[in-house]
Amino acid sequence: MNKLLKDLYDCFYTPPELLAQKKEIEECHQALIEVLEKPERRLVLQIIDAKDRIVEDTSIDSFISGFELAWRLSMELNQHEKERSVSRCTAKRLGALSMSRKEEAK
């Protein structure tokens, strides 16, 4: 089921462009390249990659949670509509039944 929901996420979710933020990240990355040695740069990039994975996983989880909530609400509304429909039919039948009893009493 999660595979299907992940596929739906990939199909329907369009991430925002965030051009200003991406530009800021690139500028900071270039500044780090200039002041850090390779091992330190690698460590910083690992931190950034891990944070990016957390953000992506959180986004997917949020999408799936929202989808599941919408699905449950849809099922509840359908059940409520069925119960309401049955209730109206029952009320109509009882009304018709009591009308015919009143006519018989005349």
Side-chain angles (χ1 to χ4, degrees), residues 1 4-5 8-9 12 61-73:
M1 178 75 165
L4 173 62
L5 293 173
L8 286 171
Y9 171 84
F12 290 108
D61 184 64
S62 178
F63 177 86
I64 291 171
S65 295
F67 187 90
E68 288 174 344
L69 174 61
W71 185 263
R72 285 190 205 117
L73 286 172

Side-chain angles (χ1 to χ4, degrees), residues 26-105:
E26 185 57 36
E27 289 170 354
C28 291
H29 183 225
Q30 289 303 317
L32 284 173
I33 287 172
E34 292 173 10
V35 297
L36 294 177
E37 296 296 322
K38 194 170 186 169
E40 290 85 5
R41 284 196 314 256
R42 186 174 289 133
L43 184 59
V44 170
L45 291 175
Q46 287 174 342
I47 292 169
I48 292 169
D49 288 344
K51 184 150 177 58
D52 286 347
R53 284 191 301 274
I54 289 170
V55 169
E56 183 179 348
D57 290 347
T58 300
S59 180
I60 293 169
D61 184 64
S62 178
F63 177 86
I64 291 171
S65 295
F67 187 90
E68 288 174 344
L69 174 61
W71 185 263
R72 285 190 205 117
L73 286 172
S74 175
M75 290 187 330
E76 287 290 325
L77 288 171
N78 284 336
Q79 183 62 32
H80 176 72
E81 194 59 36
K82 284 179 187 174
E83 290 171 1
R84 209 169 107 194
S85 178
V86 167
S87 176
R88 278 186 284 195
C89 289
T90 303
K92 284 181 183 178
R93 274 188 268 141
L94 290 175
L97 185 60
S98 62
M99 288 288 282
S100 65
R101 285 184 183 157
K102 287 180 186 175
E103 290 175 3
E104 287 175 4

Side-chain angles (χ1 to χ4, degrees), residues 12-23:
F12 290 108
Y13 178 72
T14 304
E17 289 189 25
L18 306 171
L19 297 175
Q21 292 84 347
K22 287 179 181 180
K23 182 180 178 192

